[in-house]
Amino acid sequence: MSIDSITDSLLELGPKIVALVGAGISKASGMPTFRGEDGLWNQYHAQDLATPYAFNNNPNLVWEWYRARMRILLEAQPNPAHEALTKLEEAGLLIGVITQNVDGLHEIAKTKKIVEVHGRIRYARCQVCDYIQRWDNKEFAEQKDIIPKCPKCKNNLLRPDVVWFGEPLDQIKWQEAVQWINQANIVLIIGTSGVVHPVASLPWLAKKNDAVLLEFNIEETPLTAISDHSFFGPCETILPEFSDLLIKKYIGGYKNNG
Ligand code: BV8
């Protein structure tokens, strides 16, 4: 089906869109994905890095991995795919963005309704007390072999403010994501391999609610089979094309007769 015919059918629904986003949306911003050919996990194993066990066992290795990612992130800017979601929100078509990404690029792209279900790499929090701070600066990102300590309770370690494997998601954020999915009649599944749970279960919930699932990816994923349509290709080019056309039709014709 063409983007043109799909956008027509979506407008008939009175679009209430939720975007479910993964690392693929930030690839064009220079952020490596997790499982692709140049994925972050390729040089390491997830269990060696993004788990509480790994951190307690070797905090310096884990901080080195996050500092390496932060050095890339400090040079990164949102790309047209992030901006397309902001435009959908500004047109009143988007309920919100549920992102597995921790890079903060949706906020820089000025999207307002965002739930970061896997946390935020730009913040570090104390392992014990409630202290939290931003660390997305060159000075911190270029430190070597330093394990940051909490300045408030003194001897506990700071850790990235993200959700590691084996850790539960923040329940308030998770409930908000589920609520948005239950309100949506269209879910855009963008740049995710669909293998990390419980987020990977959200498209199935949307399907149960008879929402239209549109996948934007460069290859098939486990979610392709349940998607109403998959747009295969770089989301940084295809998603803006899709959203610009939907917005143009919505503002041009549909909205006035809606
Ligand atoms: C939990 C934050 C319970 C840290 C991340 C067996 C079965 C099912 C589940 C499990 C299981 N064993 C264990 C589990 C649970 C586990 C899990 O799902 N494991 C998987 C891997 C099997 N989940 C958890 O542990 C979660 N917690 O279950 O808690 C609990 C309850 C109570 C008490 C205690 C515990 C926590 C999961 C969160 C982990 N944290 N990140 C950090 O970032 O450092 S996950 C990490 O993967 C990132 O968040 C990332 O976003 C996420 C998902 O990956 P994707 O975003 O999809 O990225 P990926 O590289 O995989 O894919 C990129 C895609 O983009 C590809 O499809 C590619 O083709 C595409 N692409 C590339 N370029 C483009 C593109 N598409 C379009 N355009 C392009 N240009």
Side-chain angles (χ1 to χ4, degrees):
M1 277 175 86
S2 71
I3 289 187
D4 196 33
S5 56
I6 287 179
T7 45
D8 286 341
S9 58
L10 296 182
L11 289 167
E12 290 306 311
L13 294 175
K16 292 188 290 252
I17 300 172
V18 165
L20 178 62
V21 174
I25 200 171
S26 296
K27 182 94 176 294
S29 299
M31 297 309 296
T33 60
F34 284 79
R35 295 167 185 84
E37 70 293 337
D38 64 348
L40 286 167
W41 303 116
N42 286 0
Q43 299 108 47
Y44 305 96
H45 295 289
Q47 67 275 12
D48 297 342
L49 292 165
T51 70
Y53 171 76
F55 186 73
N56 294 330
N57 189 37
N58 188 343
N60 189 48
L61 172 69
V62 175
W63 265 113
E64 278 309 301
W65 185 54
Y66 279 91
R67 282 196 276 257
R69 288 168 67 185
M70 183 54 74
R71 289 193 289 272
I72 301 169
L73 183 54
L74 288 175
E75 306 301 317
Q77 285 303 321
N79 65 63
H82 295 101
E83 288 154 3
L85 296 180
T86 305
K87 285 184 194 159
L88 283 172
E89 183 178 61
E90 286 164 352
L93 292 169
L94 185 84
I95 294 170
V97 175
I98 300 168
T99 189
Q100 299 171 92
N101 298 341
V102 295
D103 56 31
L105 291 176
H106 297 290
E107 192 179 346
I108 299 171
K110 299 201 180 354
T111 299
K112 299 226 174 352
K113 300 287 288 298
I114 308 164
V115 63
E116 296 171 306
V117 289
H118 289 165
R120 311 170 298 177
I121 194 173
R122 295 171 185 270
Y123 288 79
R125 68 172 193 260
C126 177
Q127 276 200 298
V128 174
C129 79
D130 60 357
Y131 179 79
I132 196 159
Q133 69 167 68
R134 286 190 77 125
W135 67 280
D136 51 340
N137 58 67
K138 234 166 140 48
E139 188 228 335
F140 208 133
E142 288 178 354
Q143 285 177 350
K144 199 112 186 71
D145 295 335
I146 294 175
I147 304 168
K149 288 248 174 51
C150 177
K152 186 175 171 188
C153 65
K154 300 295 176 232
N155 52 359
N156 291 302
L157 303 187
L158 292 183
R159 55 161 284 177
D161 186 27
V162 298
V163 179
W164 281 328
F165 289 102
E167 289 187 320
L169 275 59
D170 174 294
Q171 280 313 296
I172 295 172
K173 291 182 185 175
W174 177 246
Q175 287 313 320
E176 187 167 26
V178 170
Q179 203 180 36
W180 286 1
I181 287 286
N182 283 327
Q183 291 166 8
N185 56 13
I186 300 163
V187 176
L188 310 181
I189 305 168
I190 306 163
T192 181
S193 57
V195 297
V196 176
H197 288 268
V199 170
S201 64
L202 291 176
W204 297 89
L205 174 61
K207 192 84 191 162
K208 210 162 65 58
N209 301 340
D210 294 327
V212 173
L213 302 188
L214 299 177
E215 183 181 36
F216 295 79
N217 204 306
I218 52 174
E219 61 189 14
E220 284 204 11
T221 72
L223 298 172
T224 307
I226 61 166
S227 295
D228 294 84
H229 187 80
S230 293
F231 296 97
F232 290 121
C235 63
E236 62 273 18
T237 46
I238 297 178
L239 184 63
E241 197 188 320
F242 165 83
S243 61
D244 286 350
L245 185 58
L246 186 70
I247 292 166
K248 187 165 145 250
K249 288 181 177 178
Y250 179 65
I251 293 179
Y254 173 82
K255 189 175 177 185
N256 303 342
N257 319 325

